[in-house]
Amino acid sequence: MRIQADREVCVGSGQCVLTEPAVFDQSDDDGRVRLLAERPGPEYAKTVREAVDLCPSRALSLGEDEG
Amino acid sequence: MTDVSTSAPTRELPAFPMARGCPFDPPEQYSALRAERPIARVALPGDRTAWLVTRHDLLRQLLTDPRLSSDRTHPNLPTPVPSLQAQAQQDFAPIANALIGLDAPRHSTHRRMLITEFTVKRVQALRPRIQEIAEGCVADLLAGPRPADLVSALSLPVPSMVICELLGVPYADRDFFQSRTRTVVSFNASPEDRSAAIRALRGFLDELVTAKEREPSDDLLGRLILRNREAEVFTHELLVGLAALLLLAGHETTANMISLGTAGLLQNPQQLDQLRADPALVGQTVEELLRYFSIVDAIPRVALADIEIGGVTIHAGDGVALSVGGANRDGVAFGRADELDIQRGGRHHVAFGYGIHQCLGQNLARMELEIVFTTLFARVPGLRLAAPVAELPFKDDATIYGLYQLPVTW
């Protein structure tokens, strides 16, 4: 599982941080999404998917992990 | 599928806004509409029409569609009374054009001036102070006479004090801005009264912003003014409009959720018992109360181009009312959607909206609600309503639903 975060689209609602703070953060400089892990382990699959679904600006997407 | 209602005369269309049956539930007609015509043509007062969206998936899809505009000055914007529409083009325009009435990319530029103030981390740093404020209000409530009005003792003071301290607005002016806000959000107020209230709020914040422009203070408005000197995003008029928007949205919404949430939990004692037994449930209790009450129901938009969705064609120029109450009671998205269930975990509710305009202050609102409910039910174990629900003064005439008073005793 590979997360893509489009910071140009992000509106900083913080839903992802509330959902999975081990993977998502908000930058202190601009409040927009900052990934703490681009390829989080399978234990985060459920909450990461939830964060992707909850993101109001659809700034988050999941790609297949080729590795 | 062809929607025959698109060509029907206005008089045969369902009238919007619709009346509530039970004061805790959205209008009963939403369920039938959602099942039969989840995007339905409706008649608005003043011989206008719009599309009403009541399904959760369609609402989220449309709120992320850039072909729907938030332009509050568009003549087809669906509003509960025509005078609100006229107002949006005049007195309210500098408030809407600061943020909520903008489309991307301008909206992004404006919102980015504020995001750092409302991040999860920044809001968490406010927790001790909000706790202190809530404790103080509950202590005053307990020291006062019974029955008491929870709205004036707790619901309004907590978010008002919090937003005043955050923005840098004197709390001493609360009676002034709370009463003007009541008029601004009431669609039964005369257009003259509403205009006067909007102008009064703008005048009040104009003085305050002018003073902070001269000498920027260490508060949100002061920091915004400093950032704006570099970025040059807002004119003075828009800074004033933005301050008015933050003040209004920062106290009226949360206040109504405190009142309704308290009434909702007291009316569902099994739910309240679960919360009391496990205070860690407060986070999901707040999410469920937000979903259940959906205090801002119809999000207004206007189509900029033809949109084919859900078997209908929304034409360019059509008004669209996206029903949060309808979406949040959608049985497909939420099982047993009409039940209050704090164990639900339905965080995909749209009480804060969806899309790029999703509430900027949502994390602050969540924290205030968590702290208030925790403090209130812990400190006042015998809390109960002092009047039957049917007799409570619900805000059926306001764009933000809630309670004018909530008599409680203990």
Side-chain angles (χ1 to χ4, degrees), chain A residues 7-19 25-32 34 50 52-58, chain B residues 60-61 63-64 107-108 111-112 115-116 118-121 124 345 347-349 352-356 358-360 362-363 366:
Chain A
R7 289 179 39 83
E8 285 310 301
V9 170
C10 177
V11 294
S13 78
Q15 293 270 24
C16 55
V17 183
L18 284 182
T19 309
D25 193 12
Q26 285 170 286
S27 148
D28 289 335
D29 297 332
D30 63 16
R32 285 184 260 167
R34 200 167 71 88
E50 189 183 5
V52 171
D53 174 65
L54 291 179
C55 174
S57 63
R58 305 215 160 145
Chain B
R60 290 219 303 190
Q61 197 179 328
L63 282 177
T64 46
H107 169 266
S108 321
R111 180 154 171 147
R112 281 171 190 171
I115 299 175
T116 51
F118 292 96
T119 60
V120 173
K121 254 178 289 184
Q124 273 164 358
R347 294 186 53 227
H348 54 300
H349 68 74
F352 290 118
Y354 199 68
I356 58 172
Q358 192 182 57
C359 179
L360 177 68
Q362 58 181 294
N363 296 314
R366 283 188 175 99

Side-chain angles (χ1 to χ4, degrees), chain B residues 185-354:
Chain B
V185 300
S186 162
F187 48 81
N188 278 355
S190 76
E192 296 73 28
D193 286 352
R194 220 166 37 230
S195 283
I198 297 170
R199 284 198 301 267
L201 273 178
R202 283 175 46 200
F204 166 69
L205 288 157
D206 193 344
E207 266 183 47
L208 194 74
V209 168
T210 303
K212 289 178 192 290
E213 280 168 340
R214 242 179 271 129
E215 201 174 332
S217 40
D218 186 19
D219 47 46
L220 190 151
L221 293 178
R223 290 188 293 272
L224 179 65
I225 285 164
L226 288 178
R227 273 200 295 280
N228 194 50
R229 280 186 190 162
E230 300 288 315
E232 295 183 353
V233 169
F234 300 104
T235 59
H236 171 78
E237 189 185 45
L238 285 178
L239 274 178
V240 171
L242 188 59
L245 177 72
L246 294 171
L247 181 61
L248 188 155
H251 81 279
E252 180 67 14
T253 47
T254 309
N256 285 313
M257 271 312 300
I258 293 172
S259 309
L260 288 173
T262 303
L265 287 170
L266 291 174
Q267 282 301 102
N268 288 273
Q270 287 177 327
Q271 300 291 312
L272 183 54
D273 287 347
Q274 288 179 35
L275 174 62
R276 283 199 165 118
D278 183 4
L281 287 173
V282 71
Q284 57 193 72
T285 300
V286 165
E287 298 299 327
E288 176 63 351
L289 291 168
L290 287 163
R291 180 196 74 86
Y292 187 75
F293 285 110
S294 303
I295 60 168
V296 178
D297 184 16
I299 300 176
R301 294 286 187 266
V302 172
L304 297 175
D306 289 2
I307 304 172
E308 291 198 23
I309 181 169
V312 304
T313 304
I314 297 172
H315 289 289
D318 285 354
V320 184
L322 296 120
S323 171
V324 170
N328 279 342
R329 297 295 188 98
D330 182 342
V332 174
F334 307 94
R336 296 171 292 102
D338 288 328
E339 286 174 31
L340 182 75
D341 176 6
I342 65 168
Q343 309 274 1
R344 179 186 299 279
R347 294 186 53 227
H348 54 300
H349 68 74
V350 285
F352 290 118
Y354 199 68

